[in-house]
Amino acid sequence: MDRYIRFARPDGSTGAGLLEGDRIAVIAEPFWEGAKRTGEELDLAAVRLLPPCEPRSIVCVGLNYASHLGGQPAPDPPTLFLKPLSSIAVYTSAAAHQGTRGDLGGGRIDKKRRGGGG
């Protein structure tokens, strides 16, 4: 599985790339139009990882798992709620990408690690 990341270089410029072990293959942005490699490669240790996306808002659906309902029927219409932009996870190591759940904007979010619910 491809692992897309966003990062900041030491000079402050930002970019996107494919994580390949401890290396980043830089891709042209916007990456959702196709992961076109630029030919630039960076060491993962040389950059600061950024949140996987920069949304304007995060809208969530609540009570959408049977385990959250506690035997109650699902609400109709579904319960919607907003999450603050600060709830987007920023990874500090490549190991943090392992065993996470939930994709957002090409990156990954782990609700348990960031303390979110829902």
Side-chain angles (χ1 to χ4, degrees), residues 44-112:
L44 180 60
V47 302
R48 181 173 51 89
L49 295 177
L50 299 174
C53 60
E54 295 179 296
R56 284 178 263 162
S57 60
I58 300 173
V59 180
C60 305
V61 179
L63 301 173
N64 57 332
Y65 291 98
S67 62
H68 295 176
L69 294 171
Q72 300 296 316
D76 186 20
T79 303
L80 300 178
F81 61 96
L82 298 175
K83 292 289 274 187
L85 296 180
S86 61
S87 67
I88 297 175
V90 177
Y91 297 106
T92 57
S93 71
H97 288 274
Q98 305 301 320
T100 58
R101 69 179 221 185
D103 290 332
L104 180 62
R108 294 181 172 268
I109 290 181
D110 180 349
K111 293 194 306 187
K112 290 183 180 172

Coordinates of all heavy atoms in Angstrom, one line a residue, residues 44-112:
L44 N 13.8 10.8 5.5 CA 12.7 11.0 6.4 C 13.1 11.8 7.6 O 12.5 12.8 8.1 CB 12.0 9.7 6.8 CG 10.8 9.8 7.8 CD1 9.7 10.6 7.2 CD2 10.3 8.4 8.2
A45 N 14.3 11.5 8.1 CA 14.8 12.2 9.3 C 15.1 13.7 9.0 O 15.3 14.5 10.0 CB 16.1 11.5 9.8
A46 N 15.2 14.1 7.8 CA 15.6 15.5 7.4 C 14.4 16.4 7.3 O 14.6 17.6 7.1 CB 16.4 15.5 6.1
V47 N 13.2 15.9 7.5 CA 12.0 16.7 7.3 C 11.1 16.6 8.6 O 11.3 15.8 9.4 CB 11.1 16.3 6.1 CG1 12.0 16.3 4.8 CG2 10.6 14.9 6.3
R48 N 10.2 17.6 8.7 CA 9.2 17.5 9.8 C 7.9 17.1 9.1 O 7.4 17.7 8.1 CB 9.0 18.9 10.4 CG 8.0 19.0 11.5 CD 8.1 20.4 12.2 NE 8.0 21.5 11.3 CZ 6.8 22.0 10.9 NH1 5.7 21.6 11.3 NH2 6.8 23.0 10.0
L49 N 7.2 16.1 9.7 CA 6.0 15.6 9.1 C 4.8 16.5 9.5 O 4.8 17.1 10.6 CB 5.7 14.2 9.6 CG 6.7 13.1 9.1 CD1 6.3 11.8 9.7 CD2 6.7 13.0 7.6
L50 N 3.9 16.7 8.5 CA 2.8 17.6 8.7 C 1.5 16.8 8.7 O 1.5 15.6 8.3 CB 2.7 18.6 7.5 CG 3.9 19.5 7.4 CD1 3.8 20.3 6.1 CD2 4.0 20.4 8.6
P51 N 0.4 17.4 9.1 CA -0.9 16.7 9.1 C -1.1 16.2 7.6 O -0.6 16.9 6.7 CB -1.9 17.7 9.5 CG -1.2 18.7 10.3 CD 0.2 18.7 9.7
P52 N -1.9 15.2 7.4 CA -2.1 14.6 6.1 C -2.9 15.5 5.1 O -2.8 15.3 3.9 CB -2.8 13.3 6.3 CG -3.5 13.5 7.6 CD -2.6 14.4 8.4
C53 N -3.6 16.5 5.7 CA -4.4 17.4 4.8 C -4.6 18.7 5.6 O -4.3 18.8 6.7 CB -5.7 16.8 4.5 SG -6.7 16.4 5.9
E54 N -5.1 19.7 4.9 CA -5.5 21.0 5.5 C -6.9 21.3 5.2 O -7.2 22.2 4.4 CB -4.6 22.1 4.9 CG -3.1 21.9 5.3 CD -2.2 23.0 4.7 OE1 -2.2 23.1 3.4 OE2 -1.7 23.7 5.4
P55 N -7.9 20.6 5.9 CA -9.3 20.8 5.6 C -9.7 22.1 6.2 O -9.1 22.7 7.1 CB -10.0 19.7 6.3 CG -9.1 19.3 7.4 CD -7.7 19.6 6.9
R56 N -10.9 22.6 5.6 CA -11.5 23.8 6.2 C -12.4 23.4 7.4 O -12.6 24.2 8.3 CB -12.3 24.5 5.1 CG -11.4 25.3 4.1 CD -12.3 25.9 3.1 NE -12.2 25.0 2.0 CZ -13.0 25.0 1.0 NH1 -14.0 25.8 0.9 NH2 -12.9 24.1 0.0
S57 N -12.9 22.2 7.4 CA -13.7 21.7 8.5 C -13.7 20.2 8.5 O -13.4 19.6 7.5 CB -15.1 22.3 8.4 OG -15.7 21.8 7.2
I58 N -14.0 19.6 9.6 CA -14.1 18.2 9.7 C -15.5 17.9 10.3 O -15.8 18.2 11.4 CB -13.0 17.6 10.7 CG1 -11.6 18.0 10.2 CG2 -13.2 16.1 10.8 CD1 -10.5 17.6 11.2
V59 N -16.3 17.2 9.4 CA -17.6 16.8 9.8 C -17.6 15.3 10.0 O -17.2 14.6 9.2 CB -18.7 17.2 8.7 CG1 -20.1 16.8 9.1 CG2 -18.6 18.7 8.4
C60 N -18.1 14.9 11.2 CA -18.1 13.5 11.5 C -19.6 13.0 11.7 O -20.5 13.7 12.0 CB -17.4 13.3 12.9 SG -15.7 14.0 12.8
V61 N -19.7 11.6 11.6 CA -21.0 11.0 11.8 C -20.8 10.2 13.1 O -19.9 9.4 13.3 CB -21.3 10.0 10.7 CG1 -22.6 9.3 10.9 CG2 -21.4 10.8 9.3
G62 N -21.7 10.5 14.1 CA -21.7 9.8 15.4 C -22.6 8.6 15.4 O -23.6 8.5 14.7
L63 N -22.3 7.8 16.4 CA -23.2 6.6 16.6 C -23.4 5.8 15.4 O -24.5 5.3 15.1 CB -24.5 7.0 17.2 CG -24.5 7.8 18.5 CD1 -25.8 8.3 19.0 CD2 -23.8 7.0 19.6
N64 N -22.3 5.6 14.6 CA -22.4 4.8 13.4 C -21.8 3.4 13.5 O -21.7 2.7 12.5 CB -21.8 5.6 12.2 CG -20.3 5.9 12.5 OD1 -19.9 6.1 13.6 ND2 -19.6 6.1 11.4
Y65 N -21.4 3.0 14.7 CA -21.0 1.6 15.0 C -21.9 1.0 16.0 O -22.3 1.6 16.9 CB -19.6 1.7 15.6 CG -18.5 2.1 14.7 CD1 -18.0 3.4 14.7 CD2 -17.9 1.2 13.8 CE1 -17.0 3.8 13.8 CE2 -16.9 1.6 12.9 CZ -16.4 2.9 13.0 OH -15.4 3.3 12.1
A66 N -22.2 -0.3 15.7 CA -23.1 -1.0 16.7 C -22.6 -1.0 18.1 O -23.3 -0.8 19.0 CB -23.3 -2.4 16.2
S67 N -21.2 -1.0 18.2 CA -20.7 -1.0 19.6 C -20.9 0.3 20.3 O -20.8 0.4 21.5 CB -19.2 -1.4 19.5 OG -18.5 -0.4 18.7
H68 N -21.1 1.4 19.5 CA -21.3 2.7 20.1 C -22.8 2.9 20.6 O -23.1 3.8 21.3 CB -20.9 3.8 19.2 CG -19.5 3.9 18.8 ND1 -19.0 4.8 17.9 CD2 -18.4 3.2 19.3 CE1 -17.7 4.6 17.8 NE2 -17.3 3.6 18.6
L69 N -23.7 2.1 20.0 CA -25.1 2.3 20.2 C -25.6 1.7 21.5 O -26.6 2.1 22.0 CB -25.9 1.7 19.1 CG -25.7 2.4 17.7 CD1 -26.4 1.6 16.6 CD2 -26.3 3.8 17.8
G70 N -24.9 0.7 22.1 CA -25.3 0.1 23.3 C -26.7 -0.5 23.3 O -27.4 -0.4 24.2
G71 N -27.0 -1.1 22.1 CA -28.3 -1.8 22.0 C -29.4 -0.9 21.5 O -30.5 -1.3 21.3
Q72 N -29.2 0.4 21.5 CA -30.2 1.4 21.0 C -30.2 1.4 19.5 O -29.3 1.1 18.8 CB -29.8 2.8 21.5 CG -29.7 2.9 23.0 CD -31.1 2.6 23.7 OE1 -32.1 3.1 23.2 NE2 -31.1 1.9 24.7
P73 N -31.4 1.8 18.9 CA -31.4 1.9 17.5 C -30.6 3.1 17.0 O -30.4 4.1 17.7 CB -32.9 2.1 17.2 CG -33.5 2.7 18.5 CD -32.6 2.1 19.6
A74 N -30.1 3.0 15.8 CA -29.3 4.0 15.2 C -30.2 5.3 15.0 O -31.4 5.1 14.6 CB -28.7 3.6 13.8
P75 N -29.7 6.5 15.2 CA -30.5 7.7 15.0 C -30.8 7.9 13.5 O -30.0 7.6 12.7 CB -29.6 8.8 15.6 CG -28.2 8.3 15.6 CD -28.3 6.8 15.7
D76 N -32.0 8.4 13.3 CA -32.4 8.7 11.9 C -33.0 10.1 11.9 O -34.1 10.3 12.5 CB -33.4 7.7 11.4 CG -33.7 7.9 9.9 OD1 -32.9 8.6 9.2 OD2 -34.8 7.4 9.5
P77 N -32.4 11.1 11.4 CA -31.2 11.1 10.6 C -29.9 10.9 11.5 O -30.0 11.1 12.7 CB -31.2 12.5 10.0 CG -31.9 13.4 10.9 CD -33.0 12.5 11.5
P78 N -28.8 10.6 10.8 CA -27.6 10.3 11.6 C -27.1 11.6 12.4 O -27.5 12.7 12.0 CB -26.5 10.0 10.5 CG -27.3 9.7 9.3 CD -28.6 10.4 9.4
T79 N -26.4 11.3 13.5 CA -25.9 12.4 14.3 C -24.6 13.0 13.7 O -23.7 12.2 13.4 CB -25.6 11.9 15.7 OG1 -26.8 11.4 16.3 CG2 -25.1 13.0 16.6
L80 N -24.6 14.2 13.3 CA -23.4 14.9 12.8 C -22.8 15.8 13.8 O -23.5 16.4 14.6 CB -23.7 15.6 11.5 CG -24.3 14.9 10.4 CD1 -24.7 15.8 9.2 CD2 -23.4 13.7 9.9
F81 N -21.5 15.9 13.8 CA -20.8 16.8 14.7 C -19.5 17.2 14.1 O -19.0 16.6 13.2 CB -20.6 16.2 16.1 CG -19.7 15.0 16.1 CD1 -18.3 15.1 16.4 CD2 -20.2 13.7 15.9 CE1 -17.5 13.9 16.4 CE2 -19.5 12.6 15.9 CZ -18.1 12.7 16.2
L82 N -19.0 18.4 14.6 CA -17.7 18.9 14.1 C -16.6 18.6 15.0 O -16.8 18.5 16.2 CB -17.8 20.4 13.9 CG -18.9 21.0 13.0 CD1 -18.9 22.5 13.0 CD2 -18.6 20.5 11.6
K83 N -15.4 18.4 14.4 CA -14.2 18.2 15.2 C -13.3 19.4 14.9 O -13.3 19.9 13.8 CB -13.5 16.9 14.7 CG -14.2 15.6 15.1 CD -14.2 15.3 16.5 CE -12.9 14.6 16.9 NZ -12.9 14.1 18.3
P84 N -12.5 19.8 15.9 CA -11.6 20.9 15.7 C -10.5 20.5 14.7 O -10.1 19.3 14.7 CB -11.1 21.2 17.0 CG -11.2 20.0 17.8 CD -12.4 19.3 17.3
L85 N -9.9 21.4 14.0 CA -8.8 21.1 13.1 C -7.6 20.5 13.8 O -6.8 19.8 13.3 CB -8.4 22.3 12.2 CG -9.5 22.8 11.3 CD1 -9.1 24.0 10.5 CD2 -10.0 21.7 10.4
S86 N -7.5 20.9 15.1 CA -6.4 20.4 15.9 C -6.5 18.9 16.1 O -5.5 18.3 16.7 CB -6.3 21.1 17.2 OG -7.5 20.9 18.0
S87 N -7.6 18.2 15.8 CA -7.7 16.8 16.0 C -7.0 16.0 14.9 O -7.0 14.8 15.1 CB -9.2 16.4 16.1 OG -9.8 16.6 14.8
I88 N -6.5 16.6 13.9 CA -5.7 15.9 12.9 C -4.4 15.4 13.5 O -3.6 16.2 14.0 CB -5.5 16.7 11.6 CG1 -6.9 17.1 11.0 CG2 -4.6 16.0 10.6 CD1 -6.8 18.0 9.9
A89 N -4.1 14.2 13.3 CA -2.8 13.6 13.9 C -1.6 14.0 13.0 O -1.7 14.0 11.8 CB -3.0 12.1 14.0
V90 N -0.5 14.3 13.7 CA 0.8 14.5 13.0 C 1.7 13.4 13.6 O 1.9 13.2 14.8 CB 1.4 15.8 13.4 CG1 2.7 16.0 12.7 CG2 0.4 16.9 12.9
Y91 N 2.2 12.6 12.7 CA 3.1 11.5 13.1 C 4.5 12.0 13.3 O 5.0 12.9 12.7 CB 3.2 10.4 12.0 CG 1.8 9.8 11.8 CD1 1.0 10.1 10.7 CD2 1.3 8.9 12.8 CE1 -0.2 9.5 10.6 CE2 0.1 8.4 12.7 CZ -0.7 8.6 11.5 OH -1.9 8.1 11.4
T92 N 5.2 11.4 14.3 CA 6.6 11.8 14.6 C 7.6 10.8 14.1 O 8.8 11.0 14.2 CB 6.8 12.0 16.1 OG1 6.4 10.8 16.8 CG2 5.9 13.2 16.5
S93 N 7.1 9.6 13.6 CA 8.0 8.6 13.1 C 7.3 7.7 12.1 O 6.0 7.7 12.1 CB 8.5 7.7 14.2 OG 7.5 6.9 14.7
A94 N 8.0 7.1 11.2 CA 7.4 6.2 10.3 C 6.7 5.0 10.9 O 5.7 4.5 10.5 CB 8.5 5.6 9.3
A95 N 7.2 4.6 12.1 CA 6.5 3.5 12.9 C 5.1 3.9 13.2 O 4.3 3.0 13.4 CB 7.4 3.2 14.1
A96 N 4.8 5.1 13.4 CA 3.5 5.6 13.8 C 2.5 5.2 12.7 O 1.3 5.2 12.9 CB 3.4 7.0 14.1
H97 N 2.9 5.0 11.4 CA 2.0 4.7 10.3 C 1.5 3.3 10.4 O 0.6 2.9 9.7 CB 2.7 4.9 9.0 CG 2.9 6.3 8.7 ND1 2.0 7.1 8.0 CD2 4.0 7.2 8.9 CE1 2.5 8.3 7.9 NE2 3.7 8.4 8.4
Q98 N 2.1 2.4 11.2 CA 1.8 1.0 11.3 C 0.6 0.8 12.2 O 0.6 1.4 13.3 CB 3.0 0.2 11.8 CG 4.2 0.4 11.0 CD 4.0 0.0 9.5 OE1 3.4 -0.9 9.2 NE2 4.6 0.8 8.6
G99 N -0.4 0.1 11.8 CA -1.5 -0.3 12.7 C -2.5 0.8 13.0 O -3.2 0.7 14.0
T100 N -2.6 1.8 12.2 CA -3.5 2.9 12.4 C -4.8 2.6 11.7 O -4.8 1.8 10.8 CB -2.9 4.3 12.0 OG1 -2.6 4.2 10.7 CG2 -1.7 4.6 12.9
R101 N -5.8 3.4 11.9 CA -7.1 3.2 11.2 C -7.6 4.6 10.8 O -7.4 5.6 11.4 CB -8.1 2.5 12.1 CG -8.6 3.2 13.2 CD -9.6 2.4 14.0 NE -10.7 3.3 14.4 CZ -11.7 3.0 15.2 NH1 -11.8 1.8 15.6 NH2 -12.6 3.9 15.5
G102 N -8.3 4.5 9.7 CA -9.0 5.7 9.2 C -8.2 6.6 8.3 O -7.1 7.0 8.7
D103 N -8.6 6.7 7.1 CA -7.8 7.5 6.1 C -8.5 8.9 6.0 O -9.7 9.0 6.0 CB -7.8 6.9 4.7 CG -6.9 5.6 4.7 OD1 -6.0 5.5 5.5 OD2 -7.2 4.8 3.9
L104 N -7.6 9.9 5.8 CA -8.1 11.3 5.6 C -7.2 12.0 4.7 O -6.0 12.2 5.1 CB -8.3 12.0 6.9 CG -8.9 13.4 6.8 CD1 -10.2 13.5 6.2 CD2 -8.9 14.1 8.2
G105 N -7.6 12.3 3.5 CA -6.7 13.1 2.6 C -5.4 12.4 2.3 O -4.4 13.1 2.1
G106 N -5.4 11.1 2.1 CA -4.2 10.4 1.8 C -3.4 10.0 2.9 O -2.5 9.2 2.8
G107 N -3.6 10.6 4.1 CA -2.9 10.3 5.3 C -3.7 9.4 6.2 O -4.7 8.9 5.8
R108 N -3.2 9.2 7.4 CA -4.0 8.3 8.3 C -4.2 9.1 9.6 O -3.4 9.9 10.0 CB -3.2 7.1 8.6 CG -3.1 6.2 7.3 CD -2.3 5.0 7.7 NE -2.4 4.1 6.5 CZ -3.3 3.1 6.4 NH1 -4.2 3.0 7.3 NH2 -3.3 2.4 5.3
I109 N -5.3 8.7 10.2 CA -5.7 9.2 11.5 C -6.0 8.1 12.4 O -6.6 7.1 12.1 CB -6.9 10.1 11.4 CG1 -6.6 11.4 10.7 CG2 -7.5 10.4 12.8 CD1 -7.7 12.3 10.6
D110 N -5.5 8.1 13.6 CA -5.7 7.1 14.6 C -6.5 7.8 15.7 O -6.0 8.5 16.5 CB -4.4 6.5 15.2 CG -4.6 5.5 16.2 OD1 -5.8 5.3 16.7 OD2 -3.6 4.8 16.5
K111 N -7.8 7.5 15.8 CA -8.7 8.1 16.8 C -8.3 7.9 18.2 O -8.4 8.7 19.0 CB -10.1 7.7 16.6 CG -10.7 8.2 15.3 CD -12.2 8.0 15.2 CE -12.7 6.7 15.5 NZ -14.1 6.5 15.2
K112 N -7.8 6.7 18.5 CA -7.4 6.3 19.8 C -6.2 7.1 20.3 O -6.1 7.6 21.4 CB -7.2 4.8 20.0 CG -8.5 4.1 19.9 CD -8.3 2.6 20.1 CE -9.6 1.9 19.9 NZ -9.6 0.5 19.9

